[in-house]
């Protein structure tokens, strides 16, 4: 059960203030009856709600694809500006699924589906993450084989990573774990330095290139169902 104003705001009918006015003005029906109280409790699993004549479709979970800009942190709160400060999505307990460094750009999933996030982040599911990398020095064939074999050096253990699209100091790298500063540390191990990093893909979910840094959009049904297969398939690379 949830408040009618919250239900409408989460379904995208406006801000809490706007939907309160709509309710007060008699624009909202619950199971065919006009309800004028914002605090009226709706059974989101059973009631039929119409607003301004439209049937309201509410779903428990929301999924956002953000093109994370540099300079914001992947956290829900903190002294610094967070990715959540970029999102207008009222009253939902959403959080970033995984972390990108403050100076990393690109694909960041933001959701309130804890079960899906857990499966995508669980190291045992070996979810592929592909990044665009710009380096101080060119990538070598030797680097590619070292990364492809996986790195074990004292405390540093990295699973095999695949380099593609290599062209001088530019390449794509695909990893299947998400350790702190993983890609920067891998290239540091090779004596190189990452100067720019952007995530392009997580499993089958590709960053929508029409999104400028700081912009976001909701995931499509197809994108959501593809991500939901995470953890149920055993044939991820890596
Ligand atoms: N690897 C890094 O070093 N940084 C990121 O933000 C993501 C992967």
């Amino acid at each position: 059960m949830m408040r009618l104003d919250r239900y409408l705001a989460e379904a995208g009918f406006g801000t809490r203030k706007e939907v309160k006015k709509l309710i007060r003005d008699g624009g909202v029906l619950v199971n065919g009856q006009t309800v004028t109280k914002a605090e009226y409790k709706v059974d989101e699993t059973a009631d039929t709600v119409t607003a301004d004549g439209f049937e309201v479709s509410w779903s428990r979970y929301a999924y956002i694809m953000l093109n994370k800009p540099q300079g914001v942190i992947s956290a829900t709160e903190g002294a610094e500006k967070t990715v959540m400060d970029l999102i207008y999505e009222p009253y939902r307990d959403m959080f970033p699924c995984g972390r990108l460094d403050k100076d990393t750009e690109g694909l960041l999933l933001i959701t309130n589906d804890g079960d899906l996030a857990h499966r995508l982040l669980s190291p045992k599911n070996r979810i592929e993450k592909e990044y665009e990398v710009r380096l101080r020095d060119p990538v070598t064939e030797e680097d590619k084989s070292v990364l492809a074999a996986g790195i074990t050096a004292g405390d540093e253990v990295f699973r095999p990573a695949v380099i593609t699209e290599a062209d001088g100091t530019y390449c794509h790298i695909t990893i299947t774990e998400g350790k702190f500063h993983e890609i920067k540390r891998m290239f540091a191990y090779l004596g190189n330095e990452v100067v720019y990093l952007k995530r392009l893909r997580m499993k089958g979910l590709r960053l929508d290139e029409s999104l400028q840094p700081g912009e976001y959009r909701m995931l499509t049904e197809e994108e959501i169902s593809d991500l939901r297969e995470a953890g149920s398939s055993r044939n991820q690379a890596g």
Side-chain angles (χ1 to χ4, degrees), residues 49-153:
V49 180
T50 55
D52 260 349
F54 293 98
E55 188 164 328
V56 179
S57 130
W58 178 89
S59 81
R60 182 165 304 279
Y61 297 122
Y63 305 86
I64 288 173
M65 172 192 293
L66 170 72
N67 183 357
K68 178 192 170 296
Q70 294 185 348
V72 294
I73 59 166
S74 303
T76 49
E77 53 194 30
E80 293 182 85
K81 187 168 177 182
T82 76
V83 288
M84 301 314 291
D85 294 328
L86 302 170
I87 304 287
Y88 170 73
E89 183 61 14
Y91 319 118
R92 296 192 178 217
D93 296 323
M94 300 184 80
F95 53 87
C97 175
R99 280 167 190 261
L100 293 177
D101 295 338
K102 188 172 172 183
D103 59 358
T104 301
E105 287 184 9
L107 176 65
L108 190 65
L109 172 67
I110 294 180
T111 185
N112 54 359
D113 184 344
D115 179 57
L116 178 73
H118 177 76
R119 281 186 288 139
L120 289 171
L121 297 174
S122 171
K124 75 173 188 327
N125 288 330
R126 303 197 173 202
I127 300 298
E128 287 190 356
K129 278 141 305 201
E130 181 177 348
Y131 292 80
E132 173 186 321
V133 192
R134 287 175 196 276
L135 296 154
R136 185 192 60 213
D137 305 319
V139 195
T140 65
E141 288 306 313
E142 164 88 22
D143 292 341
K144 289 190 199 170
S145 1
V146 172
L147 292 168
I151 296 170
T152 305

Side-chain angles (χ1 to χ4, degrees), residues 65-67 198 206-218 223:
M65 172 192 293
L66 170 72
N67 183 357
K198 176 180 181 181
R206 283 200 171 273
L207 176 66
D208 184 333
E209 289 292 340
S210 69
L211 296 174
Q212 296 304 306
E215 291 184 346
Y216 64 91
R217 69 157 168 82
M218 306 311 270
E223 287 169 334

Side-chain angles (χ1 to χ4, degrees), residues 99-101 104 131 175 179-185 197:
R99 280 167 190 261
L100 293 177
D101 295 338
T104 301
Y131 292 80
I175 58 174
K179 292 186 171 155
F180 183 64
H181 292 336
E182 175 146 7
I183 294 173
K184 291 174 184 162
R185 280 159 58 206
L197 193 58

